[in-house]
Structure formats: C-alpha cells, structure tokens
C-alpha cells in the first residue's frame, strides 16, 4: 500500500527485477514494495560506462529522491548488496535497515569468480552464448522451478558483452571495503554455506566492519538463497523488519 513501510529490492549481476519473483507474493500488502532494475540490465538504460558500486548507488539515491521514498529497508542480492552497502554509506539518512543476501565485502577470490572474470575480461571478445545459462545455474545448489530458471537465464542473456566486461572491470577495481565500517543501519546478512561465489570469509569480514550486522547461515544452499528458499528468506526478512 502507498503509505506502508517501503522495501526496495536490488538484484544481482546479470539479473533484473525478476530476480525477486519468488519473494514478492509472500510480502504482506501492508508494505510498499519497489524493485529496481539496475543500469545495464533488463530494460533499463545500457550506458557504455558507469558500472562501479558508486555509480549504481548514486542511481538508487536519485531514485529514492525522485519518488520521495523515505527510510526504506533496502534488500540486495550479490551485486545489489554492494550497491546497498554504498547507499548506506553515502546517504545514511536514506536507509532504515539493510538485508544483504549472498553478499561480499569486495570481489571474492573464489575459483568461480576467477572463472567468470576470465570469461568476461576481453572487451573485444564476445561472451560465449552459453555463458548466461552457465553463470546462472552455477550460482545455485538446489534445483529451481523450470519456468523461473528460464526467466533468470533470459535476463542474463539480455546483457551486452560490454556490460559484462565493464561490470568485471569495475568490481576488480573496487576499493570500497574500507568505507563499509561507516554503515550504521541495522544489517542482516543471509548466506548459504554452498555458495560458490562468496565464501564465509566475506561474511566474517562484513561482521567485523558493520557493528550492527547479524549473520544467518542457510545450510545446503547456494548463492541465490531467495531463489532456492524464498519462503525462509521472506520470513527472515519480515521478522527483521518488524523488530
């Protein structure tokens, strides 16, 4: 409803607002839900540059200001969590709480991330046609409903080669980690112990830097917690908001 507590959802790299389709129906009508498709993704603009954490964060701050959205809970997944972290640092008065799903503090050094970086590193080389499907399925541990899986694969296939490259370049050059300790908003970290992209060391680093942060570990769950276990993620989200 228009006067309900606002919740702003931010998706991961290669996704769109569709990323939260398994969560939206479980949010009670008393909340006012917004879901943003980040630049370079889905049907948003695809500029040639501007894919750093701060570029995305400034877009979100402008979005909140334009729609006069006050003190939302910002919920991010993967890339969206980096954006949420930055918003909480550069515009702390724009955030009431953070929920960070599958979140790193910086570019992880896992084998899966290295492989993705290598496949998208050359701006003059087209990304393999199967990359989008391989990428999306590599992030989950539990099988997804077939119709939803096809939606997220199609979203990833919409990204232009240069967007994949610019995202990788920006993440590799990201030096925001020292700013994270400025986050004062109550923060909930949700992480799956079968996450191949983000390892536990990233969660521990965030816990050491965000004094208000709490971590919940999902057993036998991959990077896309809200894809694999939407009921539990929604329950944890709503319980955290209501506290």
């Amino acid at each position: 409803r228009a006067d309900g507590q606002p919740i702003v959802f931010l998706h991961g790299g290669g996704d769109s607002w569709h990323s939260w389709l398994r969560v939206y129906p479980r949010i009670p009508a008393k909340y006012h839900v917004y879901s943003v498709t980040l630049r370079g993704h889905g049907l948003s603009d695809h500029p040639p540059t501007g894919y750093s954490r701060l570029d995305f964060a400034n877009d979100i701050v402008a979005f909140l200001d334009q729609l006069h959205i006050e003190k939302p809970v910002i919920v991010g997944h993967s890339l969206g969590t980096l954006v949420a972290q930055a918003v909480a640092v550069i515009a702390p008065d724009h955030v009431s709480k953070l929920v960070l799903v599958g979140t790193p503090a910086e570019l992880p050094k896992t084998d899966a991330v290295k492989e993705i970086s290598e496949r998208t590193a050359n701006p003059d080389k087209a990304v393999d046609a199967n990359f989008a499907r391989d990428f999306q399925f590599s992030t989950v541990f539990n099988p997804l409903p077939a119709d939803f899986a096809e939606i997220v694969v199609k979203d990833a296939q919409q990204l232009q080669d240069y967007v994949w490259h610019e995202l990788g370049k920006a993440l590799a050059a990201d030096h925001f980690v020292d700013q994270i300790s400025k986050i004062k908003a109550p923060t909930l970290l949700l992480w799956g112990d079968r996450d191949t992209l983000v390892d536990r060391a990233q969660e521990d680093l965030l816990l050491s830097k965000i004094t208000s942060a709490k971590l919940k570990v999902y057993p036998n769950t991959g990077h896309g917690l809200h894809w694999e276990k939407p009921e539990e993620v929604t329950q944890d989200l709503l319980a955290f908001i209501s506290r």
Side-chain angles (χ1 to χ4, degrees):
R1 71 187 194 196
D3 61 345
Q5 165 70 49
I7 307 174
V8 176
F9 287 94
L10 305 177
H11 61 80
D15 300 324
S16 77
W17 69 273
H18 294 138
S19 180
W20 299 95
L21 280 173
R22 303 197 74 200
V23 171
Y24 301 138
R26 296 175 167 88
I27 303 293
K30 67 179 182 179
Y31 295 101
H32 194 161
V33 172
Y34 301 84
S35 197
V36 180
T37 296
L38 301 173
R39 63 166 64 195
H41 295 72
L43 298 180
S44 288
D45 289 345
H46 290 60
T49 59
Y51 294 95
S52 73
R53 184 195 302 236
L54 285 175
D55 291 323
F56 287 119
N58 283 320
D59 286 346
I60 298 305
V61 173
F63 167 78
L64 298 177
D65 286 342
Q66 181 69 27
L67 295 186
H68 306 290
I69 302 171
E70 297 184 0
K71 290 286 187 179
V73 176
I74 300 185
V75 184
H77 171 239
S78 198
L79 172 64
T81 68
L82 299 181
V83 181
Q85 292 169 23
V87 172
V89 170
I90 67 175
D93 57 325
H94 284 56
V95 181
S96 63
K97 294 182 177 181
L98 295 177
V99 179
L100 307 179
V101 181
T103 180
E106 55 190 347
L107 185 66
K109 297 178 176 61
T110 56
D111 290 340
V113 170
K114 291 177 183 177
E115 180 181 353
I116 293 168
S117 299
E118 290 170 358
R119 292 181 70 173
T120 59
N122 188 344
D124 300 319
K125 182 180 179 181
V127 175
D128 184 89
N130 294 319
F131 172 74
R133 182 174 295 274
D134 294 344
F135 170 70
Q136 295 292 51
F137 288 157
S138 73
T139 65
V140 295
F141 180 73
N142 297 289
L144 303 176
D147 55 347
F148 178 74
E150 285 305 307
I151 288 173
V152 297
V153 168
K154 287 180 181 178
D155 275 345
Q157 289 172 337
Q158 286 189 349
L159 263 71
Q160 300 295 318
D161 292 344
Y162 70 85
V163 175
W164 284 113
H165 170 69
E166 290 295 322
L167 278 172
K169 185 172 70 172
L171 289 173
D174 184 82
H175 300 295
F176 197 81
V177 65
D178 291 336
Q179 302 295 314
I180 293 174
S181 59
K182 296 179 181 178
I183 295 175
K184 303 305 179 187
T187 301
L188 175 64
L189 311 177
L190 303 179
W191 175 76
D193 67 0
R194 298 302 185 100
D195 192 330
T196 59
L197 297 183
V198 178
D199 56 22
R200 176 58 190 263
Q202 293 285 324
E203 308 310 302
D204 291 338
L205 179 58
L206 286 164
L207 287 172
S208 72
K209 289 183 172 293
I210 306 175
T211 57
S212 63
K214 302 295 182 182
L215 170 66
K216 178 175 180 180
V217 177
Y218 282 55
N220 296 316
T221 310
H223 186 59
L225 289 77
H226 59 308
W227 296 359
E228 299 178 49
K229 297 182 178 178
E231 298 92 345
E232 188 173 347
V233 167
T234 307
Q235 289 172 4
D236 288 334
L237 163 65
L238 296 176
F240 178 66
I241 292 175
S242 66
R243 284 201 293 271

